[in-house]
């Protein structure tokens, strides 16, 4: 079963195309912190404009939960995108207004989560959205796992296509899932154990090595009886963490950095084979150590396929940023050539941007949750909804 690429669509000239993007970028007030997701959808938008289509962009930003919130307007996003595209005009329009006015060459609907019908995937709301356009394009891979009106609802009502970004993401992820060259090295960190475990379960049989960092390490140490003080631990998964930690493919840290969150007090701790106290009650394990990264580097340097998701430590606060930045540089250095390299996840992409090396990675997935679900083998509703034609 395949989905149609927008590049296969004929007669784009003069057609109104509703494009669901994911411009839910990190913001500080009205300032955009990282515009990776905006840039990622530019090829699709330019392709449509270049072929004479009229583009109506749809995105959400933040969690307004079905109500208008001035602070969550998409206006700053439209402004930045207008500069990127070099177009004369890119207005933000309210859905109600859009229904009754003539549309311009390119416009952006106001935050779609201002409307309660969006997240409920309300049929009448999806119909309203569909009435704006002749065709639908899903480009925002990062929302493809959401059963929302502007993702799945409209796709079932209009002729629907995959955008260039969505296609690129699916192709890249399929490559690591179906045709990964060995050695295949997967590195997983981050905070939310429950989103990482399905990926670990799915990939353990096929990977050559699984390098772990972040909260996964803390949870595994705790499960094995080490004293981890106030470290971030996912208690719900202690039993499974213990079982998994016995798997020989999981390469475990041999040193960690423990300290206080502020970064004012920290120290290096070597992990012994037998459980012991790693940190005091008021301390936390906040990064994996340099010896560990040296060991991990050995695996990465031999990899032919590389996938990384999740910070190795509490990188937002120095000095706990070292392992995560090292991981980013190692993965980027080995990608686009020796290995096929894929990274994804909100914070992960942010860190790769910090190193300035994103362009050296084969696929920088814009999806966090969506990427993990796709890699875990789940069917994403947004992609399924495109499969009917
Ligand atoms: P991603 O969004 O990249 O998939 P997650 O959302 O799972 O990753 O987790 C990223 C967050 O986890 C980061 O904000 C980071 O600060 C935090 N983190 C990682 N390791 C630790 C740790 N040892 N202690 C506390 N927080 C951590
Ligand atoms: Mg995250």
């Amino acid at each position: 079963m395949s989905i149609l690429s927008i590049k296969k669509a004929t007669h784009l000239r003069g057609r109104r195309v509703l494009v669901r993007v994911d411009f839910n970028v990190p913001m500080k007030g009205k300032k955009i912190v990282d515009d990776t997701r905006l840039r990622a959808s530019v090829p699709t938008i330019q392709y449509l404009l270049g072929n004479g289509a009229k583009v109506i962009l749809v995105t959400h930003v933040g969690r307004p939960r079905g109500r208008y919130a001035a602070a969550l307007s998409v206006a700053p996003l439209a402004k930045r995108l207008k500069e990127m595209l070099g177009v004369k005009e890119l207005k933000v329009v309210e859905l109600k207004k859009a229904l009754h006015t003539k549309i311009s060459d390119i416009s952006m609907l106001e935050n779609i989560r201002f409307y309660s019908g969006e997240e409920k995937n309300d049929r009448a709301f999806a119909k309203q959205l569909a009435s704006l356009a002749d065709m639908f394009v899903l480009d925002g891979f990062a929302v493809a796992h959401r059963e929302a009106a502007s993702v799945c609802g409209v796709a079932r009502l209009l002729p629907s296509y995959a955008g260039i970004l969505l296609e690129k993401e699916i192709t890249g992820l399929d490559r690591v899932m179906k045709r990964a060259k060995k050695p295949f090295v997967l590195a997983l960190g981050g905070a939310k154990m429950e989103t990482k475990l399905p990926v670990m379960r799915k990939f353990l049989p096929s990977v050559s090595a699984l390098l772990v960092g972040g909260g996964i390490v803390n949870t595994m140490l705790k499960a094995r009886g080490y004293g981890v003080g106030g470290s971030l631990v996912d208690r719900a998964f202690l039993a499974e963490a213990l079982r998994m930690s016995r798997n020989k493919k999981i390469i475990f840290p041999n040193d960690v950095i423990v300290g206080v969150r502020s970064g004012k007090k920290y120290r290096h701790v070597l992990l012994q084979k037998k459980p012991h106290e790693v940190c005091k009650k008021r301390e936390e394990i906040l990064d994996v150590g340099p010896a560990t990264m040296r060991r991990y580097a050995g695996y990465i340097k031999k990899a032919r396929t590389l996938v990384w998701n999740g910070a190795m430590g509490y990188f937002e606060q120095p000095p706990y940023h070292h392992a995560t930045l090292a991981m980013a540089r190692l993965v980027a250095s080995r990608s686009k050539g020796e290995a096929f390299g894929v990274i994804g996840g909100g914070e992960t992409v942010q860190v790769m941007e910090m190193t300035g090396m994103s362009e050296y990675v084969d696929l920088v997935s814009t999806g966090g949750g969506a990427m993990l679900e796709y890699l875990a083998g789940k069917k994403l509703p947004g992609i399924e909804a495109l499969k009917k034609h």
Side-chain angles (χ1 to χ4, degrees):
M1 184 81 246
S2 65
I3 54 179
L4 266 184
S5 160
I6 186 59
K7 290 195 165 162
K8 295 267 162 65
T10 47
H11 310 302
L12 284 169
R13 190 153 300 278
R15 287 283 189 84
R16 300 166 301 163
V17 186
L18 194 71
V19 185
R20 179 51 156 115
V21 289
D22 188 337
F23 288 169
N24 186 25
V25 301
M27 311 267 296
K28 261 195 187 138
K30 286 188 173 162
K31 241 190 104 210
I32 296 167
V33 180
D34 176 11
D35 63 8
T36 305
R37 284 186 178 175
L38 291 176
R39 277 185 279 119
S41 274
V42 165
T44 299
I45 299 167
Q46 268 170 344
Y47 180 84
L48 289 168
L49 291 175
N51 282 283
K54 288 187 186 296
V55 175
I56 309 160
L57 297 165
V58 187
T59 187
H60 72 278
V61 55
R63 296 173 187 273
R65 296 183 193 283
R67 257 181 278 151
Y68 179 80
L72 292 176
S73 167
V74 299
L77 305 169
K79 187 163 171 263
R80 175 71 66 90
L81 186 70
K82 178 172 167 266
E83 291 159 12
M84 275 182 193
L85 295 168
V87 293
K88 274 201 214 94
E89 193 192 52
L90 204 171
K91 278 206 183 123
V92 175
V93 281
E94 298 276 350
L95 176 61
K96 289 229 169 70
K97 243 191 171 169
L99 291 168
H100 303 291
T101 46
K102 198 171 160 278
I103 63 160
S104 37
D105 287 347
I106 177 163
S107 56
M108 192 183 290
L109 287 188
E110 186 49 287
N111 194 338
I112 201 69
R113 285 198 188 162
F114 285 176
Y115 308 94
S116 62
E118 165 68 357
E119 287 186 273
K120 286 188 213 141
N121 192 11
D122 180 74
R123 198 170 157 78
F125 183 69
K127 268 192 177 162
Q128 268 192 343
L129 273 175
S131 74
L132 292 173
D134 307 304
M135 292 162 55
F136 174 70
V137 170
L138 179 64
D139 203 41
F141 175 69
V143 279
H145 62 319
R146 301 283 184 212
E147 189 88 45
S150 70
V151 178
C152 307
V154 275
R156 298 200 176 96
L157 299 168
L158 289 173
S160 305
Y161 299 85
I164 296 166
L165 172 66
L166 186 74
E167 221 192 338
K168 186 177 112 184
E169 301 246 20
I170 294 175
T171 309
L173 295 178
D174 280 349
R175 182 162 164 181
V176 304
M177 290 175 74
K178 295 174 189 154
R179 297 182 299 279
K181 283 197 183 143
K182 298 278 171 84
F184 177 2
V185 176
L186 173 63
L188 281 179
K192 290 159 272 163
M193 197 76 183
E194 66 172 299
T195 60
K196 319 284 167 165
L197 272 173
V199 180
M200 294 170 80
R201 282 184 216 123
K202 169 98 183 168
F203 278 91
L204 269 171
S206 61
V207 295
S208 317
L210 199 169
L211 318 176
V212 289
I216 300 172
V217 169
N218 305 352
T219 305
M220 285 186 167
L221 281 173
K222 168 91 184 167
R224 283 158 62 178
Y226 290 78
V228 299
S231 301
L232 173 78
V233 166
D234 223 328
R235 286 173 196 281
F237 300 104
L238 284 173
E240 188 166 7
L242 179 64
R243 241 178 293 128
M244 271 200 183
S245 72
R246 295 197 188 108
N247 191 310
K248 290 256 169 353
K249 285 184 182 176
I250 293 185
I251 314 303
F252 204 76
N254 41 348
D255 63 342
V256 290
I257 308 295
V258 308
V260 292
R261 287 239 167 185
S262 68
K264 287 197 175 116
K265 262 191 179 169
Y266 58 92
R267 60 196 172 90
H268 178 236
V269 177
L270 279 172
L271 296 175
Q272 311 297 328
K273 283 240 150 62
K274 272 201 181 151
H276 59 92
E277 186 191 77
V278 182
C279 55
K280 302 244 161 14
K281 243 192 181 146
R282 295 199 168 172
E283 290 175 317
E284 292 177 63
I285 301 167
L286 290 164
D287 203 6
V288 302
T292 299
M293 284 317 291
R294 185 182 159 81
R295 204 160 145 240
Y296 285 5
Y299 287 90
I300 294 169
K301 284 177 178 172
K302 291 197 189 102
R304 305 291 309 277
T305 305
L306 264 171
V307 178
W308 174 41
N309 161 265
M312 302 316 274
Y314 178 50
F315 75 94
E316 290 91 341
Q317 177 60 60
Y320 309 119
H321 59 321
H322 288 298
T324 305
L325 284 172
M327 179 58 81
R329 294 186 180 114
L330 284 164
V331 169
S333 309
R334 181 76 188 166
S335 299
K336 278 206 178 162
E338 301 287 353
F340 182 73
V342 174
I343 69 148
E347 283 79 10
T348 309
V349 171
Q350 196 186 321
V351 169
M352 192 57 83
E353 279 293 299
M354 280 161 65
T355 67
M357 294 179 81
S358 300
E359 63 179 294
Y360 305 117
V361 181
D362 293 274
L363 175 66
V364 176
S365 176
T366 56
M371 181 184 89
L372 290 171
E373 286 192 19
Y374 194 84
L375 287 176
K378 286 195 197 148
K379 288 196 180 330
L380 308 191
I383 295 173
E384 293 309 302
L386 295 176
K387 283 184 180 172
K388 50 171 184 175
H389 302 286

